[in-house]
Amino acid sequence: MRDLSIKTPLYALAAVVAVPIAVLFYSAGPVGIASSFEDPQFISSLGLTMLGASIAAALNAALGTPAAYALARGLIRGEGALYDLLLSPVSIPHTVVGIMLLIMFSPASPLHYLLGSLNPLDTLWGMILAMFYVSAPIYVMSMREHFERSDLEMERFLGSLGMSPSSIFYSVILRGSLGSIARISLLSMGRAISEFGSIVILAYSVSMAPLFYYVKPATVLIWYKYDVYGLSAAVGYASALLVVTLILSLLAYLASED
Amino acid sequence: MSGIVLRNFRAKRGGFAVGPIDLEVDYGERALIYGPNGSGKTTILLGIIGAADADGGVSVAGQEISSLPIHERGVSYVPAHPVLPGWITVNEMLRMTGRRETAVDLLERFNLGWARNRPTNALSTGERKLVQILVALSSDTKALLLDEPFSNLSRSWASRLEELLRSEPRPMMLTHHEWIPKFDKYLRLPLTVQEDG
């Protein structure tokens, strides 16, 4: 009885997550999902999204890994405040993120003279900027937890032999964390793929010759299909995108824990 | 100029404090900190390298080190259990931290030359423990702190290591759960400082 009471919320939560997924797949059916993957509009949209999310994930790994290590080891004064700042995009509504990023480059911005020549609107890099902004906190938070679990005694030993924190990080820790970096990069890539609020403002339809001509990112395409043609038109695309994100989650699960 | 000098030194970890300690360990001298589990032996060593809160004076080779980061203190600290990163080889480890020639010579003295190209997680617990002590002995630091260096070692390795440590010119502090003869200084926990035990 006691076991049941402690497990019930877990089963309830799992059901809340799993049932809508199952119902969506049931509604689309295998044919609906397969036909989405054969639709050139969806394929370009997915290609654009995957390209942007991969670059955002790579940026996360390049910048977020050393940042998370510095935070985990308290190498920076005021790291608590810095960590809260890095995490803040999690609680900023993503449409607000879109407006924030867009206005930063507009003539209304105090940074206009510096950034005015860069126009993120409907560009690949604008989409990547939005994806990076919303996925970086998840990457930094997860990597920080990974570093906090790793062996401090080993780092004390190496430090006492004269290795600086940077040298310990780049020569030893990084190599031992490749599995976690892969796993958490895939999770952050999944978060980047699922972004909608800021992307619909910043990169509604992206052109980048010769690869993309007025291509909507996948989440925007699904919303567009739903808004213009109704629920039935969006279900196939939604299921197909869900398949992609579930594959990413599976790969993240399979990536070693070091 | 003294080797390791502790003046009115206190170290704290997890609500536990040990001290005050006044102790000088000169070049060529070995001090043994001994006492039961939980008496603060490791806390003292961690306080000296700056990995536990500490107050009072700590100087090494005449330089006050309490405000320096761990990698600038010039004090090798070897933990009680093996901590070598398992994904790198002994050779790579030596390239990063030690005087390679000295280390290779030391490894050969313990018939561990074969281990140089192996990742450290391919070694046994005792081998890893000994290798990390030898890596520390081959480093360029000014003093050595060894936490329970003889645990996890066979009797033969422990006696050869003891002999090697006796010939080490740098000041050294070791911990052990019980008294060992032939050390230059002793610090018994709870605190009593003795000369020439």
Side-chain angles (χ1 to χ4, degrees), chain B residues 9 17-22 33-34 39 44 187-193:
Chain B
F9 176 80
V18 58
I21 300 164
D22 287 288
I33 304 171
Y34 68 102
S39 59
I44 293 171
L187 180 65
R188 191 179 71 191
L189 299 178
L191 288 168
T192 313
V193 180

Side-chain angles (χ1 to χ4, degrees), chain A residues 13-158:
Chain A
L13 269 173
V16 166
V17 173
V19 169
I21 292 174
V23 172
L24 180 64
F25 281 143
Y26 176 80
S27 308
V31 176
I33 298 170
S35 64
S36 297
F37 280 116
E38 286 164 5
D39 179 343
Q41 189 185 14
F42 180 72
I43 290 301
S44 338
S45 172
L46 187 62
L48 171 72
T49 304
M50 295 297 280
L51 176 66
S54 306
I55 295 172
L59 286 172
N60 275 327
L63 298 175
T65 311
Y69 181 73
L71 288 168
R73 292 291 173 264
L75 300 177
I76 301 160
R77 201 166 283 181
E79 82 267 9
L82 208 54
Y83 183 59
D84 290 343
L85 175 72
L86 290 178
L87 244 55
S88 62
V90 169
S91 53
I92 299 175
H94 289 179
T95 43
V96 175
V97 169
I99 297 291
M100 245 163 42
L101 294 177
L102 189 58
I103 206 162
M104 196 167 74
F105 297 90
S106 77
S109 163
L111 301 174
H112 180 64
Y113 289 106
L114 209 62
L115 305 173
S117 59
L118 303 168
N119 177 18
L121 195 63
D122 291 341
T123 63
L124 175 66
W125 80 263
M127 184 183 78
I128 292 168
L129 178 66
M131 286 176 160
F132 178 57
Y133 196 93
V134 298
S135 61
I138 289 163
Y139 187 89
V140 171
M141 187 168 61
S142 305
M143 274 316 289
R144 186 195 185 195
E145 280 170 15
H146 160 77
F147 289 131
E148 280 175 344
R149 285 197 308 270
S150 63
D151 189 0
L152 205 53
E153 280 283 87
M154 174 185 77
E155 294 176 38
R156 284 173 181 154
F157 170 65
L158 298 173

Side-chain angles (χ1 to χ4, degrees), chain B residues 5-180:
Chain B
V5 180
L6 305 181
R7 287 276 172 258
N8 201 24
F9 176 80
R10 280 185 185 81
K12 284 165 263 177
R13 193 166 56 131
F16 170 79
V18 58
I21 300 164
D22 287 288
L23 180 66
E24 286 187 25
V25 187
D26 283 327
Y27 286 90
E29 280 191 338
R30 298 178 310 144
L32 181 72
I33 304 171
Y34 68 102
N37 289 339
S39 59
K41 303 183 293 290
T42 304
T43 303
I44 293 171
L45 302 189
L46 292 177
I48 294 172
I49 60 163
D53 289 338
D55 50 56
V58 190
S59 66
V60 172
Q63 186 193 7
E64 175 60 43
I65 61 165
S66 9
S67 59
L68 298 176
I70 185 170
H71 62 285
E72 288 174 12
R73 292 194 175 209
V75 181
S76 297
Y77 161 72
V78 184
H81 57 279
V83 296
L84 291 173
W87 53 91
I88 64 177
T89 65
V90 175
N91 254 341
E92 286 172 308
M93 185 80 215
L94 294 174
R95 265 199 294 276
M96 288 186 277
T97 59
R99 288 172 298 193
R100 203 170 164 280
E101 298 300 315
T102 316
V104 169
D105 178 51
L106 289 176
L107 286 168
E108 295 294 350
R109 281 171 69 173
F110 284 85
N111 301 323
L112 277 170
W114 58 269
R116 276 161 40 200
N117 292 315
R118 303 268 178 100
T120 58
N121 62 5
L123 308 180
S124 72
T125 304
E127 287 163 348
R128 292 179 68 198
K129 175 73 186 281
L130 184 59
V131 166
Q132 82 185 16
I133 293 172
L134 299 181
V135 168
L137 286 173
S138 67
S139 72
D140 238 351
T141 53
K142 297 170 193 154
L144 296 160
L145 307 177
L146 310 180
D147 196 5
E148 305 271 1
F150 307 114
S151 65
N152 292 323
L153 297 185
S154 66
R155 190 168 294 179
S156 139
W157 271 359
S159 69
R160 282 154 74 188
L161 177 65
E162 205 178 336
E163 197 179 310
L164 177 66
L165 296 181
R166 209 168 286 145
S167 64
E168 172 64 43
R170 285 172 287 185
M172 192 185 308
M173 290 171 73
L174 293 84
T175 68
H176 199 63
H177 56 277
E178 58 189 21
W179 185 84
I180 306 175

